[in-house]
Short mmCIF file of all heavy atoms in Angstrom, two decimals:
data_model
loop_
_atom_site.label_atom_id
_atom_site.label_comp_id
_atom_site.label_asym_id
_atom_site.label_seq_id
_atom_site.Cartn_x
_atom_site.Cartn_y
_atom_site.Cartn_z
N THR A 28 5.77 -17.28 1.17
CA THR A 28 6.74 -17.50 0.08
C THR A 28 6.05 -17.47 -1.29
O THR A 28 6.56 -16.86 -2.23
CB THR A 28 7.43 -18.86 0.29
OG1 THR A 28 8.05 -18.86 1.56
CG2 THR A 28 8.48 -19.11 -0.82
N GLN A 29 4.90 -18.10 -1.39
CA GLN A 29 4.15 -18.11 -2.63
C GLN A 29 3.72 -16.72 -3.06
O GLN A 29 3.82 -16.34 -4.22
CB GLN A 29 2.96 -19.04 -2.47
CG GLN A 29 2.10 -19.21 -3.74
CD GLN A 29 0.96 -20.16 -3.48
OE1 GLN A 29 1.04 -21.08 -2.71
NE2 GLN A 29 -0.21 -19.85 -4.10
N GLU A 30 3.25 -15.92 -2.09
CA GLU A 30 2.80 -14.55 -2.42
C GLU A 30 3.96 -13.66 -2.84
O GLU A 30 3.81 -12.82 -3.72
CB GLU A 30 2.06 -13.94 -1.20
CG GLU A 30 1.44 -12.61 -1.44
CD GLU A 30 0.30 -12.64 -2.40
OE1 GLU A 30 -0.17 -13.76 -2.72
OE2 GLU A 30 -0.18 -11.55 -2.82
N TYR A 31 5.11 -13.85 -2.25
CA TYR A 31 6.28 -13.04 -2.54
C TYR A 31 6.79 -13.29 -3.99
O TYR A 31 7.46 -12.41 -4.57
CB TYR A 31 7.38 -13.33 -1.55
CG TYR A 31 8.45 -12.24 -1.47
CD1 TYR A 31 8.14 -10.90 -1.30
CD2 TYR A 31 9.82 -12.56 -1.54
CE1 TYR A 31 9.12 -9.91 -1.23
CE2 TYR A 31 10.81 -11.62 -1.44
CZ TYR A 31 10.46 -10.28 -1.30
OH TYR A 31 11.45 -9.30 -1.23
N ARG A 32 6.43 -14.44 -4.52
CA ARG A 32 6.86 -14.73 -5.91
C ARG A 32 6.02 -14.00 -6.94
O ARG A 32 6.40 -13.83 -8.08
CB ARG A 32 6.78 -16.21 -6.16
CG ARG A 32 7.77 -17.12 -5.39
CD ARG A 32 7.81 -18.51 -5.94
NE ARG A 32 8.61 -19.37 -5.13
CZ ARG A 32 8.14 -20.40 -4.44
NH1 ARG A 32 6.84 -20.67 -4.45
NH2 ARG A 32 8.95 -21.16 -3.68
N ASN A 33 4.82 -13.58 -6.48
CA ASN A 33 3.91 -12.89 -7.40
C ASN A 33 4.32 -11.42 -7.59
O ASN A 33 4.88 -10.81 -6.68
CB ASN A 33 2.45 -12.93 -6.84
CG ASN A 33 1.93 -14.35 -6.76
OD1 ASN A 33 2.33 -15.22 -7.47
ND2 ASN A 33 1.01 -14.56 -5.84
N LYS A 34 4.04 -10.87 -8.75
CA LYS A 34 4.30 -9.49 -9.02
C LYS A 34 3.05 -8.88 -9.64
O LYS A 34 2.47 -9.44 -10.59
CB LYS A 34 5.54 -9.32 -9.92
CG LYS A 34 5.90 -7.87 -10.13
CD LYS A 34 7.17 -7.71 -10.93
CE LYS A 34 8.42 -7.95 -10.04
NZ LYS A 34 9.69 -7.60 -10.75
N SER A 35 2.62 -7.72 -9.19
CA SER A 35 1.43 -7.09 -9.69
C SER A 35 1.70 -6.41 -11.03
O SER A 35 2.86 -6.21 -11.44
CB SER A 35 0.89 -6.09 -8.68
OG SER A 35 1.71 -4.93 -8.66
N SER A 36 0.65 -5.96 -11.68
CA SER A 36 0.78 -5.26 -12.96
C SER A 36 1.49 -3.89 -12.73
O SER A 36 1.97 -3.27 -13.69
CB SER A 36 -0.58 -5.01 -13.59
OG SER A 36 -1.41 -4.22 -12.76
N LYS A 37 1.48 -3.40 -11.44
CA LYS A 37 2.17 -2.17 -11.14
C LYS A 37 3.65 -2.39 -10.87
O LYS A 37 4.41 -1.40 -10.60
CB LYS A 37 1.57 -1.50 -9.92
CG LYS A 37 0.17 -0.83 -10.23
CD LYS A 37 -0.95 -1.68 -9.96
CE LYS A 37 -2.29 -0.94 -10.02
NZ LYS A 37 -3.44 -1.89 -9.93
N GLY A 38 4.10 -3.70 -10.87
CA GLY A 38 5.52 -3.96 -10.65
C GLY A 38 5.94 -4.25 -9.25
O GLY A 38 7.15 -4.30 -8.98
N TYR A 39 4.95 -4.46 -8.31
CA TYR A 39 5.30 -4.69 -6.93
C TYR A 39 5.14 -6.17 -6.54
O TYR A 39 4.21 -6.82 -6.99
CB TYR A 39 4.43 -3.85 -6.01
CG TYR A 39 4.68 -2.36 -6.13
CD1 TYR A 39 3.97 -1.58 -6.97
CD2 TYR A 39 5.68 -1.78 -5.33
CE1 TYR A 39 4.18 -0.20 -7.09
CE2 TYR A 39 5.94 -0.42 -5.41
CZ TYR A 39 5.18 0.37 -6.29
OH TYR A 39 5.42 1.73 -6.39
N LYS A 40 6.08 -6.63 -5.73
CA LYS A 40 6.01 -8.01 -5.22
C LYS A 40 4.84 -8.15 -4.24
O LYS A 40 4.49 -7.23 -3.57
CB LYS A 40 7.31 -8.41 -4.54
CG LYS A 40 8.46 -8.61 -5.46
CD LYS A 40 9.72 -9.06 -4.69
CE LYS A 40 10.90 -9.33 -5.58
NZ LYS A 40 12.08 -9.73 -4.82
N GLY A 41 4.33 -9.40 -4.10
CA GLY A 41 3.30 -9.64 -3.11
C GLY A 41 3.90 -9.75 -1.74
O GLY A 41 4.80 -10.56 -1.51
N GLN A 42 3.45 -8.96 -0.77
CA GLN A 42 3.96 -8.97 0.57
C GLN A 42 2.85 -9.24 1.58
O GLN A 42 1.66 -8.90 1.29
CB GLN A 42 4.68 -7.69 0.92
CG GLN A 42 5.94 -7.46 0.10
CD GLN A 42 6.47 -6.05 0.28
OE1 GLN A 42 5.97 -5.10 -0.31
NE2 GLN A 42 7.51 -5.88 1.08
N SER A 43 3.19 -9.78 2.72
CA SER A 43 2.14 -10.25 3.68
C SER A 43 2.27 -9.58 5.04
O SER A 43 3.42 -9.31 5.46
CB SER A 43 2.21 -11.77 3.85
OG SER A 43 2.11 -12.41 2.64
N ILE A 44 1.15 -9.32 5.70
CA ILE A 44 1.10 -9.06 7.12
C ILE A 44 0.52 -10.28 7.83
O ILE A 44 -0.57 -10.77 7.40
CB ILE A 44 0.23 -7.84 7.40
CG1 ILE A 44 0.75 -6.57 6.73
CG2 ILE A 44 0.14 -7.58 8.94
CD1 ILE A 44 -0.18 -5.37 6.89
N VAL A 45 1.18 -10.77 8.81
CA VAL A 45 0.66 -11.95 9.56
C VAL A 45 0.32 -11.41 10.98
O VAL A 45 1.19 -10.90 11.69
CB VAL A 45 1.71 -13.06 9.67
CG1 VAL A 45 1.16 -14.27 10.46
CG2 VAL A 45 2.16 -13.50 8.27
N PHE A 46 -0.93 -11.61 11.36
CA PHE A 46 -1.40 -11.21 12.69
C PHE A 46 -1.43 -12.42 13.59
O PHE A 46 -1.97 -13.47 13.25
CB PHE A 46 -2.80 -10.62 12.59
CG PHE A 46 -2.81 -9.22 12.04
CD1 PHE A 46 -3.43 -9.03 10.82
CD2 PHE A 46 -2.27 -8.16 12.69
CE1 PHE A 46 -3.48 -7.74 10.28
CE2 PHE A 46 -2.30 -6.88 12.17
CZ PHE A 46 -2.92 -6.64 10.93
N THR A 47 -0.84 -12.29 14.77
CA THR A 47 -0.88 -13.34 15.76
C THR A 47 -1.17 -12.77 17.14
O THR A 47 -1.44 -11.60 17.31
CB THR A 47 0.46 -14.16 15.72
OG1 THR A 47 0.34 -15.29 16.55
CG2 THR A 47 1.66 -13.30 16.23
N TYR A 48 -1.12 -13.64 18.18
CA TYR A 48 -1.64 -13.25 19.48
C TYR A 48 -0.62 -12.81 20.51
O TYR A 48 -0.95 -12.32 21.58
CB TYR A 48 -2.46 -14.40 20.05
CG TYR A 48 -1.64 -15.69 20.25
CD1 TYR A 48 -0.97 -15.98 21.40
CD2 TYR A 48 -1.59 -16.62 19.19
CE1 TYR A 48 -0.24 -17.14 21.53
CE2 TYR A 48 -0.87 -17.80 19.32
CZ TYR A 48 -0.20 -18.08 20.48
OH TYR A 48 0.51 -19.22 20.61
N SER A 49 0.71 -12.96 20.24
CA SER A 49 1.70 -12.59 21.22
C SER A 49 3.02 -12.21 20.57
O SER A 49 3.30 -12.60 19.43
CB SER A 49 1.95 -13.74 22.25
OG SER A 49 2.68 -14.80 21.60
N ARG A 50 3.85 -11.44 21.31
CA ARG A 50 5.12 -11.08 20.78
C ARG A 50 6.04 -12.24 20.55
O ARG A 50 6.75 -12.32 19.54
CB ARG A 50 5.80 -10.09 21.75
CG ARG A 50 5.05 -8.80 21.93
CD ARG A 50 5.82 -7.91 22.92
NE ARG A 50 5.01 -6.71 23.30
CZ ARG A 50 5.39 -5.77 24.12
NH1 ARG A 50 6.60 -5.88 24.73
NH2 ARG A 50 4.64 -4.73 24.39
N ALA A 51 6.00 -13.20 21.48
CA ALA A 51 6.82 -14.42 21.32
C ALA A 51 6.48 -15.18 20.10
O ALA A 51 7.34 -15.68 19.34
CB ALA A 51 6.68 -15.29 22.57
N ARG A 52 5.19 -15.28 19.80
CA ARG A 52 4.73 -15.94 18.60
C ARG A 52 5.16 -15.23 17.33
O ARG A 52 5.47 -15.82 16.30
CB ARG A 52 3.17 -16.08 18.64
CG ARG A 52 2.56 -16.80 17.44
CD ARG A 52 2.75 -18.30 17.51
NE ARG A 52 1.93 -18.94 16.53
CZ ARG A 52 1.93 -20.26 16.30
NH1 ARG A 52 2.72 -21.07 16.99
NH2 ARG A 52 1.14 -20.77 15.36
N CYS A 53 5.22 -13.89 17.39
CA CYS A 53 5.74 -13.10 16.27
C CYS A 53 7.13 -13.55 15.88
O CYS A 53 7.42 -13.79 14.67
CB CYS A 53 5.78 -11.60 16.62
SG CYS A 53 4.21 -10.76 16.72
N HIS A 54 8.01 -13.69 16.87
CA HIS A 54 9.36 -14.07 16.58
C HIS A 54 9.49 -15.55 16.12
O HIS A 54 10.29 -15.89 15.28
CB HIS A 54 10.24 -13.86 17.82
CG HIS A 54 10.48 -12.39 18.11
ND1 HIS A 54 11.39 -11.60 17.46
CD2 HIS A 54 9.89 -11.55 19.00
CE1 HIS A 54 11.40 -10.36 17.89
NE2 HIS A 54 10.45 -10.28 18.84
N GLU A 55 8.64 -16.35 16.72
CA GLU A 55 8.66 -17.79 16.35
C GLU A 55 8.30 -17.94 14.84
O GLU A 55 8.95 -18.69 14.12
CB GLU A 55 7.60 -18.55 17.22
CG GLU A 55 7.61 -20.04 16.96
CD GLU A 55 6.60 -20.76 17.83
OE1 GLU A 55 5.83 -20.10 18.57
OE2 GLU A 55 6.49 -22.03 17.70
N ILE A 56 7.27 -17.22 14.38
CA ILE A 56 6.86 -17.33 13.00
C ILE A 56 7.92 -16.66 12.09
O ILE A 56 8.26 -17.22 11.04
CB ILE A 56 5.46 -16.65 12.80
CG1 ILE A 56 4.42 -17.41 13.58
CG2 ILE A 56 5.11 -16.59 11.32
CD1 ILE A 56 3.05 -16.67 13.58
N ALA A 57 8.46 -15.46 12.51
CA ALA A 57 9.44 -14.83 11.65
C ALA A 57 10.69 -15.66 11.49
O ALA A 57 11.25 -15.73 10.39
CB ALA A 57 9.78 -13.45 12.30
#
């Protein structure tokens, strides 16, 4: 959430990739 509030000098929002260990955990975090 904090990163998405940031905007670069090129005009793009901050976006994240989150790596985890299983598909089920992917959905839990999302």
Side-chain angles (χ1 to χ4, degrees):
T28 303
Q29 182 178 326
E30 185 68 10
Y31 198 51
R32 294 193 187 114
N33 298 332
K34 185 175 280 191
S35 72
S36 62
K37 283 93 170 173
Y39 292 93
K40 289 182 177 180
Q42 294 170 281
S43 303
I44 299 174
V45 181
F46 287 112
T47 189
Y48 58 90
S49 71
R50 296 179 189 180
R52 182 74 169 176
C53 286
H54 289 282
E55 184 181 1
I56 296 172

